[in-house]
Amino acid sequence: MGNLGVREAGRMAVLSRRWRRLPGLLPRLVIDAREFEPAALRAGGHARTKRAMERVAGAVESLLPGDRAIERLRLDAYLLRDESYTVRRVVERLNDAVDSGKVAAGGLELVFRATGGGAAPDQDQPSKRQARRLARLLAAAASPSLLPSVAELSLVNLRFTSPALASLLGRCTGLEELGMYQSDAGFGAVLDVGHARLRRLAVHAVDEAMYKKLRVSSAPRLERVVVANWFCRYAPVSFGHVPCLRELHLKNKAVYYQEPVRLSKMLASTPHLESLTLGFSSWRIWIEPEAPKQLEPMFSKLKSLVLTGIFRGCDLSWTLFFLQAAPFLEEFILEVDKPLDAKAPSDIYGEMPKTDDVTWQVPEFQHHHLKHLEFSGFNEEEMHWRIVELVKERAVNLQSIALDDGCQACDVVANEYVLSGGIKNKKPVLLSVSQITGSPPILTLV
């Protein structure tokens, strides 16, 4: 019952008198404006989002005065382009609920979405106006206890001024999760994040007008960081005091002016990483070749490594330097994309990367802890067989290999792989490592 949304609980309540109080009994209440959009109106239209927010305000006013305290309240709200009265009604009811204890301390999850234009803030002028209105509204109408009770905050398509964003985040002293989706503090601004309770952070950009750099100055409880797309010339993020950071996801489609990222420098303050995902979006390999010894301090506890969006045709032998730098790695996942249907504009991204973009030497070493190799986008070309064999030769305790052509959604029929004994099997296939070598390598089914 705790996973029901307001609309589902409301539908159940109309079926029986015994269930009429059901919405007010939910331990976790989810009020999502997207679920209140009237189907009769045009999708994405202003009238539709306005009607949805009127229903949200009504739901908040009817449900929050209940007799039972709500452990967690998630509110996903639209910011309307022409008025803020509806949002003010919602904020005032949230004030009452938090001040009276109807919502548990630290039990708020807030999502604010700009409406009324394109996807990118620099193309969507209302996102600036709505960000300004939201900042003013929260500064004027939010009670002193409201923002400190926000545990999760997501901002979607909003462009603040640097002081306004700093003030908003600074007042959310209990923040545990922050999501910035197409949201920033203006062109070239540094997004500075530092919260004592912050555990999860996600920053997604969409165009060159977004933030210049993400700086995590001090977040002693931070465990997970996701950064998708950046347009600064150098490293997209810098870390200060982050002793608990265990999981890091970085994904970018590198543009022509961006310098390769030196991981040893960017991750110098993250010695406890256990999971690392690097995405290249079918384009340039945006990391700089480094000696494995330079990365060992950062990768000494790394257990899972995912390299995704590697462009098809790229020689994959360069990936072995990660394996050498992470002596306790247990899982190694490679994902090669299918061929692009169309090239991106050359004036933005340059020409399609060539296979000689990465020319790192293949190191000789032994790895004693790698247990599983997974390869998505695998096909029977020589360089793909070669990386499987290179890993197999070095990982002396490798237990399984999973090969997947990654084309379940493609129009072409997936090829079948011929394995030892003349057996044919469709992918994905889980394989145990054979000690017999061959060309292609002989693999035996589990």
Side-chain angles (χ1 to χ4, degrees), residues 412-431:
V412 298
V413 178
N415 295 324
E416 295 182 343
Y417 296 116
V418 180
L419 304 176
S420 62
I423 302 174
K424 293 185 177 182
N425 287 274
K426 294 183 178 180
K427 295 147 307 289
V429 182
L430 187 64
L431 307 163

Side-chain angles (χ1 to χ4, degrees), residues 93-366:
R93 294 301 173 268
L94 291 178
N95 286 338
D96 296 339
V98 171
D99 293 342
S100 62
K102 296 299 183 182
V103 175
L108 279 180
E109 304 173 14
L110 300 181
V111 182
F112 292 110
R113 302 175 183 273
T115 61
D122 70 322
Q123 299 171 350
D124 185 9
Q125 293 302 319
S127 69
K128 297 180 181 180
R129 294 197 297 269
Q130 291 162 18
R132 183 166 59 248
R133 285 176 178 172
L134 176 63
R136 290 176 178 174
L137 174 62
L138 293 178
S143 69
S145 57
L146 177 63
L147 292 181
S149 293
V150 177
E152 298 183 17
L153 177 65
S154 295
L155 303 172
V156 184
N157 195 27
L158 290 165
R159 168 154 291 171
F160 297 86
T161 63
S162 292
L165 182 60
S167 175
L168 173 59
L169 297 182
R171 295 176 64 190
C172 297
T173 54
L175 201 60
E176 297 178 2
E177 181 169 342
L178 174 62
M180 301 284 293
Y181 304 99
Q182 296 89 257
S183 297
D184 61 18
F187 177 77
V190 174
L191 181 58
D192 201 339
V193 178
H195 283 73
R197 298 185 181 181
L198 190 66
R199 295 182 182 274
R200 295 171 296 276
L201 172 64
V203 179
H204 293 245
V206 293
D207 70 358
E208 294 187 68
M210 305 300 283
Y211 68 96
K212 181 179 180 181
K213 188 172 185 176
L214 169 64
R215 182 168 58 206
V216 184
S217 54
S218 178
R221 298 186 184 181
L222 187 64
E223 300 172 354
R224 185 175 189 266
V225 173
V226 178
V227 180
N229 302 321
W230 56 85
F231 295 88
C232 53
R233 182 173 180 179
Y234 302 104
V237 58
S238 63
F239 293 103
H241 183 58
V242 287
C244 293
L245 185 61
R246 300 291 187 270
E247 186 178 352
L248 178 61
H249 298 252
L250 300 172
K251 180 181 179 181
N252 187 42
K253 188 169 186 176
V255 294
Y256 67 93
Y257 59 80
Q258 290 179 320
E259 299 290 338
V261 174
R262 181 178 286 272
L263 291 178
S264 62
K265 182 178 180 180
M266 184 177 67
L267 304 179
S269 300
T270 62
H272 303 293
L273 279 180
E274 296 179 357
S275 176
L276 176 64
T277 298
L278 302 178
F280 304 99
S281 300
S282 300
W283 218 256
R284 292 172 53 199
I285 305 302
W286 44 259
I287 55 176
E288 181 178 331
E290 297 188 66
K293 287 186 177 181
Q294 293 179 291
L295 287 167
E296 284 181 5
M298 286 67 70
F299 289 177
S300 62
K301 297 183 180 180
L302 196 65
K303 295 181 179 180
S304 176
L305 173 65
V306 180
L307 303 178
T308 181
I310 301 174
F311 63 87
R312 189 169 293 274
C314 179
D315 184 355
L316 299 173
S317 58
W318 62 273
T319 63
L320 292 176
F321 97 101
F322 283 107
L323 196 60
Q324 188 178 9
F328 294 99
L329 194 68
E330 298 178 358
E331 180 183 57
F332 187 23
I333 300 177
L334 292 170
E335 297 182 5
V336 175
D337 280 355
K338 63 181 181 180
L340 297 177
D341 295 330
K343 291 178 62 175
S346 59
D347 60 331
I348 299 177
Y349 294 106
E351 294 300 320
M352 187 69 181
K354 310 300 181 183
T355 57
D356 59 356
D357 279 359
V358 183
T359 57
W360 302 344
Q361 295 182 351
V362 178
E364 294 293 339
F365 63 96
Q366 283 192 340

